[in-house]
Structures are given as C-alpha cells and as structure tokens.
C-alpha cells in the first residue's frame, strides 16, 4: 500500500508538472488492487493552487520541506488534510483569575530580574498584572540576552503559557509567547500532530498559508458548512470539541472524503465491468453427480450464493465476487461447485489457500467429493503436479503465483481466506494475461463499513446461515489456576470419544519461550493422556505436521496441542473442545477463527478461554465479547470499534483503504450516506457532465482519485 501511495503521489506530482498536457500513461493500483492502464486526465486549472508543492511556501526551507513531506505530504492540499487534533485556549486574564494548569495570556509589567547563581540554575523574571498581582516567569538554561531583550525591566508585554503554582507563588515556566502586541498571540491555538523538526508554530503557519490559497470551488454538496469553510474551521478550532472528529467541520470533510471514495469505487467498478470476461456455462452434469453424493444437503444460503456465482460466470463480464461467510458456513463446497461449472465448460480452475496445510486438506476434501470425475492436482511449496495443463482443478498455495506456473485455459480462480493474500499476489494472477473469473472467499467477516470502502468495487455474497445441524458453541472464561479442573473435564469428554484442540500462543515462529511453552504443554498433557496427544506448530516439517494432523483426524490422538497454524480452514468435525491458553494475547478475529474450528458436528462444543492476571480492561472486554457472541459480523464490528480500522485485519498491508480525514467507525453514518449519494449521482449523471458533476470531478482530484476521473471519459 505504501508503495502504491508513493507511486500515486509521484504520479500526481508528475501530472502537476505537465499540467497543461496530458501526462504519460501510468500504472496505478485501483482500489481493489487490480492493475489498470489509465491515461491521466487533466486537472482543472482552478485546482492548481492546491497542488503547489509545500516547499514553495515562504519561510519553509528545503530541510523543513522534506520533513513536511513525510509528515503531511508534498502539496498544499496534503497540508490541508493534515488536521489539528487539539486546541489550546489562551484567554486574556489577570493572574488571580487563571486556573492552575491551564493556559492563559496575561498583560504584565516587568518588575525585576533574578539571574541564577550558576549557569544551570533558574533565571527568574518577576512581573505584575494590572491589578498588582505578581507572577514569576522561570527560564531554565536561559539566554540572558534574549530575556533582556524581550522582558526589559519596566516594559509592558503580553506573555502566554501554562499557569502553575509554586509555594503560593504563581509561576509560568518558559512562556509559549512573549509579545508586545496581543494580536501576535492566538486566543485559540490549533495543535497539530508533529514530527521531530517541525514545530507547531511552523505547522500552523503552513496550514494558514495553505488555507489562504484555497480557491472558491463550485459546490458538490449542500451539506453545512461548505467545503472551504469546513477546512478553515477544522484548522481553527474554537473549542476542544471542534478539534475532534465529530465537529461539524470535520464531519463535512469526512463526508467529502467518503463521497470521493465511493464515487471512485463505483467508477472503477463500472470500468472493470467493461473488461471482457469469459462467459462460462457448464451443462450441469458434473455438478449433479457431485451434489448427489454429498453427505449433506446444501443450505438455502449456499444455493442462493451459487446462483449468484453461476450468473456471474455465465455473463460476458468478468466475475469479481467476494464470498463472505463466517467460519464453518460451508464455503468450500460452494467453491467446488463453481469450479465444476467452469470445468464442465471445458475450462480449468484453481483454488488458492494461504498455507500448505490448508491446500492439502482442501485437496483431500475435493478429491473425496469429485476426484472420480475430474483430475485434481496439488501444488504447494514442496509439491509440484508436473504438467498443469492436464488438470481440471489445481489446489495450491501461493506457489501458484510463481512465474513458471502457466495455465492454458483458466476459467476460474478461487482465493480462499483472501485477506491473507496481499494485493500484489492478486495482481500477479491477473497479470498473467488471464482474465479468469475471480471468487474471493473470506471467513473473517468484514464490518459492512469496511467492506463498503474497500470492496465497494466487488460484488459481495454473504453466507450468513450455518448448516442447520449445528449447536451454538458454549464459550467460557476460566482462570489459568483452574487448569486441573479443565483437564478433568477434557478427560470425561475424551472418554466419550470427543476430541480437543489445545492452542498456545506463538506470535512469531522465532519466539523461543513461546515454543518452549507449547512443548511443555504437550508434555504435561501427554502425562495425563499417554500416547493420545499430538503436536503441531509452525516450525515442524510439513510432513511431520501432516502426520500429526492425520493422527488427530483419524482418531489415533484425541488432543492436539497446537499454535495458530490451525487457525484457518482446518476442518475436523469430531473435535468439540477448543482450549485457548493466554487467550488475552489473541485478537478478537483470531479468537473467533480459532473457536470456529469446533462446533462443526452434531455434538455440543465448548470453547475455553484460559487467561491469567493481570488482565487489562481492554483485554477483558475482548474476552467478554467473544464469550457473549458467536456472530462473526458482530464481533468484527466490535473489533473495529475497539481497535480502529487501520489495525483491523492488518488492513494497512492488505490494501484496504485508509483515510485522510474520515474515521470509518466514528463517521460510519456518513459513509452510508455517501454510498447512497454516489449511486444516485452516477445514475442521474453517469459522465459527471452537469454543473454538480464538474464540481464532483474536482472533489475526486482533491482526494487523489485522478484515475477514477480518467475512467469517466475513457467511455
Ligand atoms: P468454511 O466456510 O469455514 O470454509 P467449510 O467449507 O470448511 O467451512 O465447511 C465446514 C463444515 O461444514 C465441513 O465439514 C463441511 O463438510 C460442512 N458442511 C458444508 N455445507 C454443509 C451443509 N449444507 N450441511 C451440513 N454440513 C455442511
Ligand atoms: Mg474454509
């Protein structure tokens, strides 16, 4: 994402330099991460002042310019998006009216200087306000000449800073301002996020300078306050509330950003739909056979999702569909049936998984279900199927993306647990010169708001219904000191033929102490259940891991001590107990995924979250959220609330949108409004030709959506 952003920035800079001639074609990552060649369109002249480099501002040298570049960006508009996050109020007061600990500006007369005895001591300047109340101004390591110049005895000056109390004496240490004229001290001072080398004063100067350059733009929305005023207010907050994300000005700007985001996504989507796809429509033969041999009946949800997928496949537009389904909702069989549709039509299909373990497991499942009728290959880091052309379906890991693997006749690519793949991997597949239909699957429910901003350009199918034979999993929080009782409980369950996962945290495979803890747990449990305990972790050889997994699946072991390698996809319906040690160390999404490994059969399943003190309030809240909800979407919403969008799912790396002003959680109402508005706008004015359309084009440029604008005219 970072690189793309840099690239984009460079591109906009390039377009700026050639602002009167169309710039050269460039590559840009569209929101969804698919490569598109786009001719940069021309930015209207009215916007030019906003794209002037910050280095041009008076009083900003090249050194500060570079720092600003890192902090805010290169252009005027970037500095305008760099908003204050606080405000200091400096009311003009008398000494005795000041509140201790708060800022104030005072009009004072300088009475006397009290220099220190040694260079490291405090230099004191005593002053008096109009009512004769005294104030001591302290300077540490002061430059005497500066003090003498700014605060000569007998002068009347304005000082501003934080009022303190020391031994009944009012004290101000290093005033923020000393000025002859009250007008030189802001009553309200915006406080900006800074970086070393950029002072708040500089940042305020830059912001004010940039505000002054902001042109009057035609209105694209009648929401109050108008755009330019909103920017000015956001940079000049008059109260603590006004410096927060929920001030009217900030809300207006957030709406604008969402609107630009939603318009760009809709435009990109419209553009991509124009790309030719391969119409795929099988005769249903293979699907009928496989469906008849399934050990279960498809749920209504699965059937409905399949209908959507088949319709996409049959269409001459390319399918780009995200299938979201909570853990255990049965996505695998849906993907298999979609693949069979392509295969019936004489095409190949690939099924990509994030890990070797999953690739093998899916390969097994699919071979069991369809292996008699089609040729299924396995392609992992350690195993190559040879000639890929001879297979109908290839199941594999990211090795599938490697350059040397070629497909002749690819009709469908399924990407399972898609959030684990970066945008770049997705791009590599499409860059192979193929335009296969894409079915992206994720078991990590994405809150609707996130999905809207990131996948707005995809069709989304949701499997919200689990197979009917499931009982809800019972989740309990248990202190780690109760582990003996827990082991007794597991013993009873195992005696009844049930199986248990026992998960220990292992954040990085290099964390030695964690690995020791996993092995120790394996040993203590082995002592309780001789010969019945298996061990799986990321540092084992794939074959060893494989063997341990099949021992567990086939019942030779009944407890599997493991790390989060089993987090995604693993399917062992006879496992009914999930113990998670140090549960407080896991994120919400991860806990939910882990829990989803049980509850897959007809028996009642339990998830035990072991935790040990001290538990931070936020960790406690997380554990209670998991205990009280089994709904992946609700949990994801809570996660978003507690962590903020950026951290969720590691969105920053996974190519999800991040915003300059808007907060996906705090402003979610506005997001939905922007979504509705964007749809209506493009319906009424598809080429953005009206007056408002023109104004909206400006908006798109303001948020770096140049490529979206160019798709409009590309026709
Ligand atoms: P996920 O959506 O997490 O990938 P899976 O595809 O692994 O879920 O399915 C979970 C389990 O549910 C598997 O054991 C699968 O065989 C079973 N399953 C799938 N569909 C149905 C259904 N319609 N009825 C009953 N069981 C089903
Ligand atoms: Mg799955």
């Amino acid at each position: 994402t970072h690189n793309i952003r840099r690239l984009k920035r460079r591109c906009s800079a390039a377009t700026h330099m050639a602002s009167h001639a169309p710039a050269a074609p460039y590559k840009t990552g569209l929101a969804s991460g698919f490569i598109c060649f786009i001719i940069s369109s021309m930015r209207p002249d009215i916007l030019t002042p906003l794209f002037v480099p910050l280095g041009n501002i008076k009083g900003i040298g090249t050194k500060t310019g570079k720092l600003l570049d890192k902090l805010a960006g290169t252009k005027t508009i970037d500095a305008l998006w760099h908003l204050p996050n606080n405000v200091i109020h400096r009311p003009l007061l008398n000494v005795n009216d000041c509140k201790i600990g708060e800022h104030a500006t005072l009009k004072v007369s300088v009475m006397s200087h009290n220099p220190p005895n040694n260079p490291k001591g405090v230099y004191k300047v005593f002053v008096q306000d109009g009512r004769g109340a005294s104030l001591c101004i302290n300077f540490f390591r002061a430059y005497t000449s500066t003090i003498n110049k700014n605060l000569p005895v007998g002068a009347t000056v304005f000082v501003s800073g934080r009022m303190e109390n020391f031994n009944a004496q009012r004290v101000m240490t290093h005033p923020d301002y000393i000025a002859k004229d009250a007008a030189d001290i802001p009553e309200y001072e915006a406080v900006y996020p800074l970086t070393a080398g950029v002072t708040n004063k500089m940042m305020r100067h830059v912001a004010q300078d940039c505000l002054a350059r902001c042109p009057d733009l035609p209105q694209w929305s009648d929401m109050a306050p108008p755009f330019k005023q909103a920017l000015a207010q956001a940079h000049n907050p008059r109260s603590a509330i006004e410096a927060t994300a929920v001030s009217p000005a900030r809300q207006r700007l957030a709406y604008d950003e969402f609107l630009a985001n939603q318009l760009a996504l809709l435009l990109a989507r419209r553009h991509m739909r124009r790309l030719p796809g391969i119409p795929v429509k099988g005769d249903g033969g293979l699907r009928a056979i496989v469906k008849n041999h399934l050990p279960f009946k498809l749920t209504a949800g699965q059937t409905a999702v399949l209908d959507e997928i088949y319709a996409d496949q049959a269409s001459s537009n390319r399918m780009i569909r995200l299938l979201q389904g909570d853990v255990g909702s049965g996505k695998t069989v849906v993907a298999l049936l979609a693949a069979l549709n392509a295969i019936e039509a004489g095409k190949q299909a690939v099924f990509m998984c994030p890990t070797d373990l999953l690739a093998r497991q899916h390969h097994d499942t699919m071979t069991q279900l369809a292996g008699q009728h089609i040729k299924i290959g396995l392609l992992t880091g350690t195993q190559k199927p040879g000639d890929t052309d001879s297979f109908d379906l290839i199941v594999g890991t990211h090795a599938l993306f490697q350059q040397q693997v070629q497909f002749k006749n690819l009709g469908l690519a399924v990407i399972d647990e898609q959030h684990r793949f970066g945008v770049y991997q997705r791009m590599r597949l499409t860059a192979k010169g193929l335009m296969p239909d894409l079915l992206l699957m994720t078991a990590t429910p994405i809150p609707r708001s996130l999905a809207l901003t990131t996948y707005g350009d995809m069709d989304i199918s949701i499997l919200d219904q689990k197979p009917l034979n499931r009982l809800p999993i019972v989740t309990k929080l248990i202190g780690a000191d109760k582990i003996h009782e827990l082991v007794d409980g597991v013993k009873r369950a195992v005696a009844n033929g049930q199986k248990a996962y026992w998960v220990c945290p292992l954040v990085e495979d290099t964390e030695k102490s964690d690995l020791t803890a996993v092995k120790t747990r394996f040993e203590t449990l082995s002592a309780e259940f001789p010969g019945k305990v298996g061990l799986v972790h990321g540092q084992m050889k794939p074959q060893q891991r494989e063997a341990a997994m099949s021992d567990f699946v086939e019942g030779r072991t009944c407890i599997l001590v493991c790390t989060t390698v089993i987090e995604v996809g693993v399917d062992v319906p006879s496992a009914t107990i999930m113990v998670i040690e140090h549960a407080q160390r896991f994120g919400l999404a991860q806990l939910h995924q882990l829990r989803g490994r049980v509850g897959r059969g007809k028996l009642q399943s339990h998830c035990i979250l072991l935790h040990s003190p001290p538990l931070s309030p936020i960790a406690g809240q997380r554990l209670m959220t998991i205990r009280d909800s089994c709904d992946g979407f609700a949990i994801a919403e809570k996660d978003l609330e507690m962590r903020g969008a950026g951290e969720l799912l590691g969105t920053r790396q996974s190519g999800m949108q991040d915003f300059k002003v808007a907060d996906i959680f705090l402003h979610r109402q506005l997001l939905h409004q922007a979504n509705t508005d964007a749809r209506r706008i493009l319906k009424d004015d598809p080429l953005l030709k009206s007056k408002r359309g023109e104004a909206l084009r400006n908006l798109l440029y303001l948020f770096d959506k140049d490529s979206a604008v160019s798709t409009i005219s590309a026709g």
Side-chain angles (χ1 to χ4, degrees):
T1 321
H2 189 61
N3 281 335
I4 289 186
R5 220 181 310 136
R6 276 232 301 268
L7 184 65
K8 269 191 193 157
R9 238 182 225 174
R10 232 180 291 144
C11 292
S12 339
T15 23
H16 170 70
M17 283 187 275
S19 68
H20 292 284
Y26 65 88
K27 269 187 208 174
T28 179
L30 278 182
S32 59
F34 297 99
I35 289 186
C36 258
F37 280 89
I38 277 163
I39 311 291
S40 164
S41 52
M42 252 200 290
R43 190 167 48 225
D45 286 341
I46 189 173
L47 296 174
T48 304
L50 291 171
F51 288 83
V52 172
L54 286 179
N56 288 12
I57 295 176
K58 245 192 274 158
I60 299 296
T62 38
K63 203 169 138 223
T64 316
K66 278 202 186 115
L67 293 171
L68 279 176
D69 184 5
K70 263 209 220 131
L71 179 66
T74 51
K75 296 162 271 122
T76 300
I77 186 70
D78 298 326
L80 290 174
W81 296 141
H82 188 71
L83 295 173
N85 54 13
N86 206 348
V87 61
I88 298 174
H89 185 200
R90 304 177 180 279
L92 187 60
L93 295 173
N94 288 305
V95 170
N96 290 324
D97 298 332
C98 291
K99 289 209 186 90
I100 302 304
E102 291 190 3
H103 288 83
T105 298
L106 301 108
K107 185 180 182 183
V108 294
S109 308
V110 182
M111 309 308 289
S112 64
H113 284 209
N114 191 354
N117 300 328
N118 63 67
K120 283 194 179 158
V122 187
Y123 194 118
K124 296 182 175 187
V125 177
F126 289 93
V127 300
Q128 232 175 44
D129 69 8
R131 295 188 189 158
S134 107
L135 169 71
C136 172
I137 301 179
N138 284 343
F139 296 94
F140 293 90
R141 274 185 227 134
Y143 290 103
T144 316
S145 59
T146 319
I147 297 176
N148 280 328
K149 183 170 150 252
N150 292 334
L151 295 167
V153 174
T156 299
V157 294
F158 293 87
V159 295
S160 187
R162 191 197 296 270
M163 188 57 81
E164 239 113 35
N165 200 19
F166 188 72
N167 286 344
Q169 164 75 61
R170 296 294 157 117
V171 173
M172 188 179 282
T173 303
H174 288 265
D176 305 319
Y177 293 88
I178 300 172
K180 291 205 179 70
D181 189 348
D184 290 338
I185 302 176
E187 189 186 351
Y188 292 91
E189 182 178 338
V191 179
Y192 286 89
L194 299 172
T195 184
V198 178
T199 62
N200 197 50
K201 198 169 169 200
M202 262 185 234
M203 201 54 238
R204 286 180 57 236
H205 168 68
V206 169
Q208 294 307 321
D209 193 287
C210 291
L211 276 176
R213 295 181 204 202
C214 186
D216 283 312
L217 298 174
Q219 300 279 335
W220 53 80
S221 159
D222 45 22
M223 185 174 175
F227 175 72
K228 192 175 165 182
Q229 252 152 283
L231 266 181
Q233 283 176 23
H235 281 282
N236 295 293
R238 286 279 180 270
S239 67
I241 292 277
E242 282 188 21
T244 65
V246 295
S247 73
R250 285 283 256 271
Q251 296 208 35
R252 159 71 205 231
L253 298 175
Y255 170 79
D256 288 338
E257 183 165 28
F258 283 143
L259 186 62
N261 164 268
Q262 292 298 300
L263 280 172
L265 284 172
L266 289 176
L267 288 167
R269 170 197 164 107
R270 193 171 79 182
H271 187 67
M272 287 211 292
R273 300 288 126 160
R274 292 201 191 101
L275 300 176
I278 316 157
V280 167
K281 197 167 178 358
D283 60 9
L286 283 171
R287 281 173 284 171
I289 301 175
V290 169
K291 243 168 40 184
N292 285 336
H293 287 90
L294 286 177
F296 48 75
K297 219 174 147 275
L298 293 182
T299 62
Q302 284 168 320
T303 309
V305 164
L306 275 167
D307 286 342
E308 292 173 332
I309 293 172
Y310 295 152
D312 280 0
Q313 287 180 300
S315 135
S316 56
N317 292 329
R318 189 172 169 218
M319 168 166 90
I320 301 161
R321 183 171 285 278
L322 177 73
L323 172 55
Q324 273 193 273
D326 211 345
V327 272
S329 58
K331 294 183 294 298
T332 316
V333 67
V334 168
L336 175 64
L337 288 165
L340 290 174
N341 183 21
I343 295 164
E344 286 166 8
K347 302 279 173 196
Q348 289 179 297
V350 295
F351 188 102
M352 283 177 269
C353 312
T355 64
D356 272 23
L357 189 71
L358 272 182
R360 286 165 207 278
Q361 189 188 311
H362 282 311
H363 178 258
D364 287 353
T365 311
M366 297 197 179
T367 305
Q368 251 171 43
L369 295 175
Q372 284 179 304
H373 316 290
I374 58 172
K375 247 193 118 190
I376 307 179
L378 177 65
L379 179 60
T380 65
T382 50
Q383 183 168 351
K384 310 260 176 307
D387 178 19
T388 47
D389 286 347
S390 64
F391 291 96
D392 301 308
L393 172 63
I394 296 183
V395 182
T397 55
H398 52 268
L400 279 174
F401 297 105
Q402 276 162 13
Q403 225 56 54
Q404 63 268 33
V405 183
Q406 297 291 339
F407 301 96
K408 272 241 173 66
N409 196 12
L410 199 54
L412 173 71
V414 180
I415 307 185
D416 196 16
E417 309 300 347
Q418 78 85 32
H419 67 276
R420 309 207 145 223
F421 291 88
V423 244
Y424 293 102
Q425 283 163 313
R426 273 194 268 153
M427 281 198 270
R428 286 238 283 284
L429 185 77
T430 29
K432 279 177 180 289
L434 303 159
M435 284 293 175
D437 286 329
L438 273 187
L439 178 62
L440 310 163
M441 306 205 294
T442 180
T444 305
I446 297 161
R448 204 174 120 60
S449 41
L450 257 189
L452 207 54
T453 55
T454 306
Y455 297 124
D457 58 333
M458 297 186 198
D459 292 307
I460 300 185
S461 294
I462 294 181
L463 261 186
D464 49 8
Q465 188 189 25
K466 294 210 180 159
L468 299 171
N469 53 357
R470 306 277 170 77
L471 286 169
I473 302 164
V474 173
T475 304
K476 288 196 177 120
L477 307 186
I478 293 185
D481 51 333
K482 302 259 164 54
I483 199 160
H484 290 293
E485 287 128 79
L486 174 60
V487 169
D488 289 342
V490 173
K491 270 190 185 151
R492 284 191 297 273
V494 164
N496 282 331
Q498 301 179 34
K499 292 179 192 162
Y501 294 100
W502 195 295
V503 178
C504 301
L506 182 59
V507 182
E508 290 282 320
D509 279 359
T510 49
E511 297 250 359
K512 280 221 180 77
S513 59
D514 278 351
L515 193 59
T516 315
V518 179
K519 287 179 178 160
T520 309
R521 182 58 66 213
F522 169 70
E523 276 152 26
T524 55
L525 285 171
S526 292
E528 300 274 352
F529 304 86
K532 287 287 180 192
V533 186
L535 176 64
V536 168
H537 59 75
Q539 291 196 342
M540 291 163 77
K541 295 218 174 67
Q543 290 94 319
Q544 279 178 303
R545 218 156 57 182
E546 216 57 36
M549 272 317 288
S550 24
D551 283 347
F552 186 62
V553 172
E554 286 153 28
R556 288 184 290 280
T557 55
C558 51
I559 296 177
L560 189 66
V561 175
C562 49
T563 60
T564 50
V565 290
I566 59 123
E567 178 186 338
V568 281
V570 175
D571 185 38
V572 183
S574 55
T576 56
I577 299 173
M578 168 62 66
V579 178
I580 305 177
E581 281 202 53
H582 301 286
Q584 74 274 9
R585 283 177 57 186
F586 295 92
L588 273 183
Q590 219 177 5
L591 288 171
H592 181 63
Q593 290 294 319
L594 284 169
R595 178 172 59 183
R597 300 301 120 219
V598 297
R600 298 179 156 241
K602 292 195 177 96
L603 286 173
Q604 175 65 59
S605 286
H606 293 267
C607 174
I608 311 298
L609 305 175
L610 282 175
H611 57 86
S612 34
L615 206 56
S616 73
I618 190 94
Q621 215 185 337
R622 269 209 307 264
L623 294 184
M624 285 188 293
T625 302
I626 285 288
R627 182 192 62 192
D628 299 339
S629 176
C630 267
D631 175 348
F633 284 90
I635 291 170
E637 289 287 354
K638 192 81 193 164
D639 208 8
L640 181 61
E641 184 186 326
M642 288 202 275
R643 285 203 285 168
E647 283 172 74
L648 199 69
L649 320 171
T651 49
R652 288 264 142 79
Q653 301 115 53
S654 63
M656 292 213 183
Q657 184 71 34
D658 50 4
F659 289 94
K660 301 170 199 288
V661 183
D663 181 305
I664 231 174
F665 183 74
L666 292 174
H667 298 132
R668 58 196 184 285
Q669 228 46 49
L670 294 167
L671 173 61
H672 292 285
Q673 189 189 330
N675 176 264
T676 313
D677 293 351
R679 278 171 204 281
R680 206 185 35 233
I681 288 165
L682 288 182
K683 192 161 160 274
D684 296 346
D685 182 13
L687 298 177
L688 297 184
K689 271 188 164 157
S690 67
K691 245 187 134 148
R692 184 174 178 212
E694 291 285 327
L696 284 160
R697 286 174 186 239
N698 290 341
L699 172 69
L700 288 168
Y701 283 111
L702 293 183
F703 284 99
D704 284 334
K705 308 286 185 206
D706 303 29
S707 52
V709 183
S710 42
T711 66
I712 306 172
S713 35

